[in-house]
Amino acid sequence: MPTQTSGLVLINLGTPDSADVPQVRRYLKEFLSDPFVIDIPGIARWFLLNGMILRTRPAKAAAAYRKVFTSRGSPLLFHTEDLTAGLRLRFENPIELGMRYGNPSIEVATRKILATGVRQVVFVPLYPQYSYAASLSSEQEVKRVQRTLATEGLEFGSEILPDFHLEEGYLRAFEQVTREATRDFHPDHYLFSYHGVPVRQVQRTDLSGGKHCYRETSCCDQPNEANRLCYRAQSIWGAHALARRLGLSAEQYSISFQSRLGRTKWVEPYTDHLLGELPGRGVKRLAVVCPSFVADCLETLEEIAIRGRAQFIAAGGEDLMLVPSLNAHPSWIEAVEKRVRPFLLSR
């Protein structure tokens, strides 16, 4: 008989199995085939992906991945595995890691949980801000897995925890990591750099039916029902909250968005633009915090710590420090524990 116990599946976005070109191509094909990621009509997406992106991008991306992979493999994977291991020490409930793209998949993680006899699964997307491409896509994948397993007689109850961009534990953990990292660096400015998203995806989360988002420059300034799921608004609110915890004045920090892809308009300002401009404003020692990533990955370690640092110095800056992500920091493990504990059933 199934036990009255909940299982826990941590969800992160994903990573290639290796930095080899074929593995990177396989990962990019799965990732970019998702209609929530490249949200254009299917035929156009197929031609864009197979006729353009997959012809050149895998080799370039593989070269970037080789700069950050270690003897343990992908940083995003092993940091999230370490977080999972830390949580297992605090719970008797079965806990697994599932990636939205790549391995181990959400389906594989769920099957492992169900194999223990559990029939209630709590899914925890590790995305602090809500987004169309990550959050909604992961929610839809959980539902697909649930339908698929039900056809095999593996029915189970599920709960998907929401975004957590202003939760105390998350902010406290980032504050602690940032203070530890910058103690001896003495930055004269902080840049809170978030993963970018296309403007059209932000507009699709406008709960007013399109009457609020990007209708005025102050649309993200204050929380309201219309922008409750707005990625840009949540990023701005989170950056301000973290800056207050760090004791920063408005002049001591900036907010930007990185990792844009293609020619469509993404949320601004762009991180690479600011990295080239800040030295001209007198910024010499820059600390970059990436609050949309809870585990270090290609976007932090290569895009910011390597390319971003080189760009900043070439523009006249003296030094740039990437503040490490939360990874498996004890304060982050504690924050996740406190967050999920109320949702887990025990024997």
Side-chain angles (χ1 to χ4, degrees), residues 170-276:
Y170 159 75
L171 291 173
R172 185 191 304 115
F174 247 120
E175 176 193 0
Q176 185 170 346
V177 168
T178 302
R179 289 189 183 280
E180 291 174 359
T182 59
R183 184 175 294 122
D184 297 325
F185 182 70
H186 306 298
D188 52 29
H189 199 78
Y190 289 75
L191 178 62
F192 297 105
S193 178
Y194 292 79
H195 198 291
V197 294
V199 168
R200 66 174 180 271
Q201 291 188 4
V202 170
Q203 292 174 320
R204 286 177 179 171
T205 64
D206 183 350
L207 299 180
S208 71
K211 299 177 182 179
H212 179 81
C213 185
Y214 276 87
R215 294 296 181 181
E216 54 186 32
T217 57
S218 61
C219 62
C220 290
D221 288 355
Q222 297 296 327
N224 56 62
E225 183 56 29
N227 64 17
R228 179 168 54 84
L229 295 179
C230 174
Y231 180 87
R232 180 175 180 268
Q234 290 185 353
S235 299
I236 291 171
W237 305 334
H240 290 330
L242 186 53
R244 285 194 296 270
R245 298 183 73 101
L246 293 168
L248 303 179
S249 67
E251 295 74 28
Q252 290 178 298
Y253 70 97
S254 303
I255 304 169
S256 63
F257 299 87
Q258 63 181 87
S259 310
R260 68 187 184 279
L261 175 66
R263 298 179 180 178
T264 189
K265 184 175 178 60
W266 285 46
V267 292
E268 297 179 277
Y270 300 141
T271 296
D272 58 337
H273 288 187
L274 278 185
L275 291 177

Side-chain angles (χ1 to χ4, degrees), residues 106-108 110-111 123 140-150 154 156:
I106 294 173
E107 181 171 340
V108 166
T110 305
R111 288 182 182 276
F123 293 90
Q140 294 301 312
E141 177 64 7
V142 168
K143 293 177 181 178
R144 184 202 68 78
V145 168
Q146 196 161 19
R147 291 193 302 269
T148 298
L149 298 188
L154 294 173
F156 62 96

